[in-house]
Structure formats: structure tokens, C-alpha cells
Amino acid sequence: MFSKRTFSAVDATVVIASQQQGMTVSTQDIADLLGLSVSYLESILKVLKANGIIRSYRGPGGGYQIDADPAELSIWDVVSLFESEAHSDEGQDNNPKILNACFEGLYGLAKSYLMEQKLGDWAKLELPQKNKVPVLQGRFKLKPMPSMALPKVPNSVFQLPTYDLPMSRVA
């Protein structure tokens, strides 16, 4: 009933609203989390920003934050930016009248349900932390490599007197 772009916009808005107060999330992080391309996601974020749903910050540590109150913002507020009743009725002129009535009824049910759903209720995700090394869950289910142990030896012969090396090795 709704386009993939609409679903992606709702997902992106939920991810942004799930951030801790005062924290931002970058376009790359959202794209990685949702499995979307950055350019596709930027076109969605542009619409959300233009309509006051999110705000952006530039520079290091920049990214996106929710601009509206998640407890007041309904999921329909986001959906309606990407879908319209005229768009949902497109291509239904060739259908029998009974099907058109069914589509209108389904659209009305979806709209009333999404108007009741608040973004704050959906934005309780626990997002992955950047400092944690994720376990790769692909075809091979690889675990992260252990960190390399660095030898404790001098970098040059001029540092030899500062290291306490066994005499058997320094001969």
C-alpha cells in the first residue's frame, strides 16, 4: 500500500529519534543500520528536514537529531510527507468499484492506526555502539580478529640503554 521510500523514511525517523538526548547520528550510520545507500537516504532526510521533523548539524560530531517532540509526532505525520491520498488511488481507475471501495477502506484504516502511533513509542531502539566491534553475521560467521601484541623492544640501537634486556641477548 505504501512505497518503499515511505517505509525507509519511517525507519530513518525512528533511528534518529532513538538517539539519546543531545546526540546526533550520521547519514552513514543510518544508512549502514538500515541497509540503504547514502544518496537514497539523503533524499529522504532532505524531505524530513524541510518539514521540521529532523534537524542537521555540520562538521565533526555532526549529524541528525529529531526536531519535533517524539511524544507528539505521529507515524502518520512522517508517512503523509511521502504518500498522499491521490497517490494511493493512482492506477485504481481500471479496477471494479468494489475494489476501489476496499482500497479506500484499507487506506483509511492504515491512516487512522498510524495517526494513533506516536514516534516516541517506536523510538525505543537500542542502537549499536560505535566502540563495540560487531561480530560479523554473514555466510562464514567470522569473529573479530584479536588485537596484535606489539613486542616490547627498542625501535633503534640508540634506545638500547633505556631498556632492561637480559645480558644473554645483548652480547
Side-chain angles (χ1 to χ4, degrees):
M1 184 188 293
F2 297 125
S3 67
K4 180 183 183 275
R5 183 178 163 130
T6 301
F7 284 108
S8 298
V10 171
D11 289 343
T13 307
V14 169
V15 168
I16 294 168
S18 295
Q19 294 298 310
Q20 294 177 359
Q21 186 70 22
M23 300 295 291
T24 60
V25 60
S26 72
T27 307
Q28 185 66 53
D29 290 340
I30 300 168
D32 291 344
L33 190 64
L34 298 178
L36 302 172
S37 73
V38 172
S39 60
Y40 177 71
L41 181 61
E42 284 175 342
S43 70
I44 292 169
L45 296 175
K46 182 179 178 181
V47 173
L48 293 171
K49 184 179 173 192
N51 287 282
I53 305 291
I54 61 173
R55 74 181 96 143
S56 64
Y57 296 95
R58 298 188 123 185
Y64 291 93
Q65 283 182 344
I66 198 74
D67 197 24
D69 181 11
E72 297 294 321
L73 186 68
S74 73
I75 299 300
W76 179 253
D77 294 332
V78 176
V79 169
S80 65
L81 297 175
F82 296 91
E83 298 288 331
S84 67
E85 291 186 43
H87 178 273
S88 67
D89 292 336
E90 253 178 40
Q92 294 180 10
D93 294 334
N94 298 334
N95 295 332
K97 289 185 180 185
I98 189 76
L99 281 180
N100 285 340
C102 287
F103 285 129
E104 288 175 20
L106 287 174
Y107 185 80
L109 285 173
K111 180 179 178 179
S112 63
Y113 176 76
L114 294 175
M115 287 176 81
E116 294 173 8
Q117 301 298 312
K118 301 300 178 192
L119 183 64
D121 296 333
W122 287 30
K124 295 183 175 57
L125 294 176
E126 189 165 322
L127 299 175
Q129 300 296 321
K130 282 186 180 181
N131 297 340
K132 293 183 181 178
V133 178
V135 176
L136 299 176
Q137 295 293 331
R139 180 174 165 200
F140 300 107
K141 296 183 178 151
L142 302 172
K143 293 182 180 175
M145 291 184 61
S147 60
M148 299 289 289
L150 297 175
K152 296 184 179 181
V153 295
N155 280 343
S156 73
V157 292
F158 299 109
Q159 294 178 338
L160 278 174
T162 61
Y163 281 88
D164 187 25
L165 298 175
M167 290 308 290
S168 62
R169 295 176 104 188
V170 181

